[in-house]
Amino acid sequence: MPAYSFCCVVCGQFEFVRPMAASGSDVWCPQCGGPGRRVYGAPALRALDAGVRRALEVGERSADSPQVVSSVPSAGRRRGSVGRYTTDPRHARLPRP
């Protein structure tokens, strides 16, 4: 279940764990019993795959100051060279472009 952040006028910010279906219902402060207003924040990205998180961070960094390149980067292998990506013999019978 997700944890939602709320803010009480008297006590300040607190978190509540509840089902997504109940995210819009009223919440009362656990300390003083006053009404809590939902606070929206950034999503928790720590649960993402490391590669996805790294790509998001690179995109975020390059938003303000993108890297300038002087040439087209290499593709890693030469055009026309055939690499084996699979060992399944049925793939060898597939039509090639």
Side-chain angles (χ1 to χ4, degrees), residues 2-7 12-18 27-28 30 46:
Y4 296 98
S5 295
F6 295 91
C7 185
Q13 197 164 354
F14 62 95
E15 283 192 357
F16 229 91
V17 177
R18 57 189 342 185
V27 173
W28 306 101
R46 64 184 169 272

Side-chain angles (χ1 to χ4, degrees), residues 4-74:
Y4 296 98
S5 295
F6 295 91
C7 185
C8 173
V9 178
V10 178
C11 303
Q13 197 164 354
F14 62 95
E15 283 192 357
F16 229 91
V17 177
R18 57 189 342 185
M20 291 176 92
S23 66
S25 60
D26 294 337
V27 173
W28 306 101
C29 178
Q31 293 178 354
C32 70
R37 183 179 51 86
R38 185 158 175 206
V39 178
Y40 294 93
L45 298 178
R46 64 184 169 272
L48 287 178
D49 180 58
V52 173
R53 185 173 50 242
R54 193 173 322 115
L56 287 172
E57 290 172 354
V58 166
E60 192 175 289
R61 280 194 304 265
S62 69
D64 294 330
S65 57
Q67 289 182 338
V68 178
V69 295
S70 59
S71 65
V72 177
S74 66

Side-chain angles (χ1 to χ4, degrees), residues 73-86:
S74 66
R77 65 181 185 116
R78 297 171 65 196
R79 203 161 180 79
S81 66
V82 178
R84 285 192 71 161
Y85 297 108
T86 179

